[in-house]
Amino acid sequence: MPTSCHLKRRFLLGAAAALTATTLPVFAQTKTVLRISTPAVPDAWHARMWTVFKDTLEKSAPGEFEVQINLNASLFKQGAEPAAMARGNLELTSMSPADIAKLVPEFSVFTAGYMLRDPAHQQKVFNGPIGKELFKTVSDKMDVTVLSTCYLGTRQVNLREVRNVKTPIDLKGIKLRMPGSKDWLFLGNALGATATPLAFGEVYLGLKTGTIDAQDNPLPSVRAAKFYEVTKQIVLTSHLVDSLFIAISNKAFNALTASQKQKVSAAAQAAAAYNNDNNLQEESQLVEFFKKEGLQVTTPDVAAFRKAVQTTYQNSDYARVWPAGLVERINATP
Ligand code: KDO
């Protein structure tokens, strides 16, 4: 028969075991997991910025978050991120204007060539009243909160073989790879080429084997993804001052405390600032780099490209989808 001393000891051992069994997982669960998915290659500034996000958050909220960074579209394929966020399978990503335009048609104004003038104009538009209004619609329709605006760079045409390109007519018949959605394809065709959809991760091989003749991306992306190894020319069309928006699902954001929300937003701002500074600085130096790598870097008749592209958009259904006065407000933003 157990003595009371035995019983007490057994009770204490049992209680200790129960405590271990319940407390360990509870501790593990208290960290909020933030899964990030992006098609960016590791060497791109908009991939590296996620480490800045993670480190900033670790400093401001030590031990509160587990930030999981998935690059190279290893978690979700390019463009599938907003749907994954809606299903609750992903917390954060960087969305392109074309990703947003699928659900918020008026946002397609930012998929149009020659709409934003330069990186400073881009930041003023998105950090001012236009951004505020449109991001509210994005939150209502997509259930995600935009935390900051990244400058991806200004998109240029990058050809496999050297060609004399002055105006859109000179791109006739060129199979120009674009990301795989209708707004991107419209832009590629507006440039005068034959737009062909392909995921970012397949572009290098497409250029190498010749299944595509060209691709368009900002110079820092051409460097980071090493497209210069398999192409011979860059035509400085500067057709799109491109943006990426750091966004978090509303489900994940609303589960945070007010203080955590503020810290996550601040980390996203720090990440965007890091990306923007580096992309801007590198972009200004890359023409020399590509020339040294043996590429021809040529300047076309940009005014002719601008006119042709803007006319194509004005005469399309896009102009009807854009809210009255929006283009004028964008143009009037200093
Ligand atoms: C691309 O596929 O060309 C693109 O530049 C589109 C952007 O919106 C973005 O998805 C980017 O790829 C990736 O992050 C890879 O740099």
Side-chain angles (χ1 to χ4, degrees), residues 157 174-178 188 191 193-196 212-216:
V157 172
I174 288 288
K175 265 201 231 166
L176 173 64
R177 172 273 168 183
M178 299 298 287
L191 288 166
T194 304
T196 312
I212 49 172
D213 302 317
Q215 68 89 29
D216 86 310

Side-chain angles (χ1 to χ4, degrees), residues 7 9 65 78 85 101 114 149 165 178 193 207 307 316 330:
L7 279 175
R9 194 174 131 77
F65 292 95
Q78 183 179 27
M85 286 161 94
Y114 302 104
T149 299
V165 181
M178 299 298 287
L207 289 167
K307 190 161 178 239
S316 73
I330 294 169

Side-chain angles (χ1 to χ4, degrees), residues 38-40 46 78 96 152 155 177 179 184 200 216-217 221 242 244:
T38 167
H46 64 290
Q78 183 179 27
S96 71
L152 183 65
R155 295 181 87 93
R177 172 273 168 183
W184 283 114
F200 186 83
D216 86 310
N217 252 295
S221 298
D242 207 1
L244 282 177

Side-chain angles (χ1 to χ4, degrees), residues 3 19 39 53 77 98 102 124-125 155 159 180 184 201 220 241 247 250-251 257 259 261 269 282 287 290 295 321 324:
T3 62
L19 199 68
F53 174 82
K77 64 181 175 61
K102 286 183 194 160
K124 284 217 180 95
V125 167
R155 295 181 87 93
L159 293 154
W184 283 114
V241 175
N250 282 346
K251 186 168 171 253
T257 64
S259 151
K261 279 184 182 168
Q269 293 286 338
E282 194 189 32
V287 167
F290 292 129
L295 273 80
V321 171

Side-chain angles (χ1 to χ4, degrees), residues 39-204:
V41 293
D43 209 15
W45 298 111
H46 64 290
R48 292 187 188 183
M49 75 176 177
W50 287 114
T51 304
V52 173
F53 174 82
K54 183 177 176 154
D55 293 350
T56 307
L57 208 48
E58 193 46 47
K59 261 195 211 130
S60 61
E64 286 180 47
F65 292 95
E66 186 184 322
V67 177
Q68 299 174 358
I69 305 170
N70 302 280
L71 307 177
N72 289 321
S74 57
L75 191 57
F76 291 103
K77 64 181 175 61
Q78 183 179 27
E81 304 90 350
M85 286 161 94
R87 288 197 308 273
N89 294 339
L90 183 70
E91 284 73 42
L92 281 134
T93 192
S94 52
M95 301 189 303
S96 71
D99 292 332
I100 297 178
K102 286 183 194 160
L103 287 157
V104 183
E106 56 269 47
F107 216 89
S108 61
V109 73
F110 299 112
T111 66
Y114 302 104
M115 183 60 66
L116 293 171
R117 288 192 296 272
D118 52 44
H121 186 216
Q122 175 211 46
Q123 291 295 317
K124 284 217 180 95
V125 167
F126 291 119
N127 296 328
I130 297 176
K132 204 170 170 201
E133 282 163 36
L134 288 174
F135 294 151
K136 162 89 176 61
T137 313
V138 170
S139 175
D140 294 344
K141 290 199 181 165
M142 296 181 72
D143 219 11
V144 303
T145 296
V146 172
L147 300 173
S148 57
T149 299
C150 307
Y151 172 59
L152 183 65
T154 298
R155 295 181 87 93
Q156 317 290 356
V157 172
N158 179 204
L159 293 154
R160 213 175 157 256
E161 298 296 343
V162 176
R163 198 177 170 95
N164 184 12
V165 181
K166 288 289 173 222
T167 72
I169 288 179
D170 303 320
L171 287 178
K172 196 170 162 36
I174 288 288
K175 265 201 231 166
L176 173 64
R177 172 273 168 183
M178 299 298 287
S181 76
K182 80 170 176 40
D183 302 309
W184 283 114
L185 296 171
F186 190 92
L187 175 61
N189 289 324
L191 288 166
T194 304
T196 312
L198 199 64
F200 186 83
E202 290 163 39
V203 175
Y204 186 96

Side-chain angles (χ1 to χ4, degrees), residues 230-297:
V230 284
T231 52
K232 297 202 177 116
Q233 186 181 3
I234 291 171
V235 185
L236 297 171
T237 46
S238 300
H239 53 274
L240 187 76
V241 175
D242 207 1
S243 317
L244 282 177
F245 306 98
I246 295 188
I248 184 167
S249 76
N250 282 346
K251 186 168 171 253
F253 201 51
N254 292 335
L256 304 178
T257 64
S259 151
Q260 287 177 324
K261 279 184 182 168
Q262 187 274 323
K263 288 170 184 169
V264 167
S265 300
Q269 293 286 338
Y274 168 88
N275 166 83
N276 297 357
D277 290 350
N278 282 293
N279 260 339
L280 271 172
Q281 204 220 334
E282 194 189 32
E283 197 169 38
S284 67
Q285 295 164 356
L286 278 173
V287 167
E288 281 319 302
F289 169 79
F290 292 129
K291 281 185 179 164
K292 277 200 196 110
E293 290 295 322
L295 273 80
Q296 287 202 22
V297 183

